[in-house]
Amino acid sequence: MSHMLTTRDDAVRIDVDHIDERLDAELDALYPACLRDAAVDGTIFLPKLGNIPLPRYRRTANKETFIYIEDPERRWLAGTTSFNRVVGLDRRLDQHVRLPHSRYREAYQRMGLAKRIYLEALDAGLCLLSSARQSPGALQLWRSLGQHYPLHHVQLQGKRLMDLGRSIERRQFEDLHTRMLLCGAGWSVERLLSLTSHAPARRREGSERQFAAGLGLKQQRFDMQSCRRATGIHPRHGRAHTMAEQMTAHRR
C-alpha cells in the first residue's frame, strides 16, 4: 500500500549540499572511535559491491542510536546513520519519535543502505521525523519510505506536533517548522499525536525499546571468529552485542 504525500506545485524545500571531501574527512576521523567504542552488530551485503561483507556496528548514548557501516577492504567507514532525539519534544512523544540522519560516502550512496536501516526502525515501531532541511537524495528516500509506512506533513510547534495532512501548499511546505513524519509499525498519525492531547496518556511500551529488540532480532547470528577472519576485526572489539543488550545496560 502506498502512503505517498504531495505538495501542491510539487514544491521542494532543499538547500543541503554536502561537500564530499569534508564528509570523507569526518568519516575518517570517526573511524577509530567507532572501532573502539561501538559493538559489532552483524554484517550487510551489497550486490553492487560484489556481496562483500560490510561489518555493521552500533553505539547508544543518551537514548540515541548510532549505526556505522565499515568497508574493511578499504579500511574506512562507508557511512553512518544516527537516530537522534528531537530537542524539546514532549516526553510522551520523545520515546516514540527520532530524527534520523545519514552520511555515506559517494561510492556507497544510492545503494539502499539508509533505506534498509530506516525500514528496520519503522518495522520496530519507531516513528521518524525529518530535518528542517533535506538534500535531494533525502527527500527521494522519504518519499520512497512513504510507499511502506504512513507519511504526513506535520508542524513542529514548541513541544508538540500538529498534523497538516498529506497534501499542503507550497508556502506551507517551505516553512522550516514544517516536517515530514513517518509513522512506524502499529502507529497512525492520529494515535501518535493523541499522546499529547489533554486526555491522560496511557502507558505504552516504548518504541525505542522495540526498535532495540527488533534490530537485534533482524540480524543473522554469525560466528564471531569467522567474522574476524573475514573482516579483519581485532578480537579486542569483543563479542557481538544486540541492541537490546546495549539498551538494557544503558538503562541501568
Side-chain angles (χ1 to χ4, degrees):
M1 178 179 179
S2 175
H3 301 279
M4 292 294 289
L5 84 171
T6 60
T7 53
R8 291 170 190 165
D9 299 327
D10 200 29
V12 179
R13 184 186 66 222
I14 299 172
D15 57 0
V16 175
D17 184 20
H18 291 297
I19 300 175
D20 292 334
E21 293 79 4
R22 184 174 61 191
L23 173 60
D24 292 349
E26 291 174 355
L27 292 173
D28 288 341
L30 190 60
Y31 187 36
C34 162
L35 296 184
R36 182 183 66 247
D37 302 329
V40 178
D41 188 50
T43 53
I44 288 180
F45 295 86
L46 295 177
K48 292 184 178 180
L49 293 179
N51 276 328
I52 298 172
L54 301 180
R56 167 175 162 159
Y57 301 81
R58 181 180 290 118
R59 180 176 65 86
T60 59
N62 192 31
K63 298 183 181 180
E64 297 184 325
T65 301
F66 304 86
I67 295 174
Y68 311 93
I69 308 299
E70 180 192 16
D71 187 333
E73 288 196 348
R74 297 188 178 184
R75 297 188 178 183
W76 64 17
L77 286 179
T80 177
T81 292
S82 61
F83 293 92
N84 305 115
R85 300 173 71 179
V86 182
V87 177
L89 194 65
D90 186 284
R91 60 181 179 80
R92 289 165 291 187
L93 293 175
D94 178 65
Q95 61 181 317
H96 304 293
V97 179
R98 287 293 179 269
L99 194 156
H101 180 56
S102 291
R103 298 178 296 163
Y104 288 89
R105 296 180 193 269
E106 185 176 10
Y108 306 90
Q109 295 174 12
R110 293 174 290 279
M111 290 188 178
L113 279 169
K115 183 176 181 178
R116 181 183 306 190
I117 295 171
Y118 286 14
L119 280 175
E120 287 178 353
L122 292 163
D123 290 344
L126 201 66
C127 300
L128 305 181
L129 186 70
S130 69
S131 302
R133 305 179 187 277
Q134 289 185 302
S135 67
L139 181 64
Q140 182 179 5
L141 170 60
W142 279 74
R143 287 180 169 173
S144 175
L145 292 168
Q147 298 178 27
H148 304 275
Y149 284 96
L151 180 59
H152 283 248
H153 291 103
V154 295
Q155 188 168 52
L156 183 59
Q157 294 183 333
K159 296 182 177 182
R160 298 187 178 189
L161 298 173
M162 182 180 73
D163 183 24
L164 299 178
R166 306 176 72 84
S167 178
I168 61 175
E169 299 288 347
R170 175 171 183 168
R171 170 183 52 81
Q172 198 169 26
F173 182 72
E174 291 178 342
D175 185 339
L176 294 181
H177 293 94
T178 299
R179 310 290 185 89
M180 288 186 287
L181 175 70
L182 281 160
C183 298
W187 290 98
S188 66
V189 68
E190 294 81 12
R191 180 188 171 203
L192 181 66
L193 300 191
S194 71
L195 296 180
T196 54
S197 66
H198 295 296
R202 295 173 54 191
R203 186 176 182 85
R204 305 178 189 273
E205 286 294 321
S207 296
E208 179 192 359
R209 185 176 299 175
Q210 295 171 15
F211 174 40
L215 285 179
L217 291 173
K218 283 178 177 295
Q219 290 300 315
Q220 295 182 350
R221 298 181 182 276
F222 63 100
D223 179 79
M224 281 299 301
Q225 295 299 327
S226 299
C227 176
R228 290 169 184 152
R229 288 195 295 268
T231 64
I233 299 175
H234 193 276
R236 66 182 173 84
H237 297 154
R239 68 184 181 90
H241 295 279
T242 65
M243 168 68 102
E245 290 174 325
Q246 289 191 6
M247 292 297 293
T248 300
H250 174 70
R251 291 173 185 273
R252 289 176 183 167

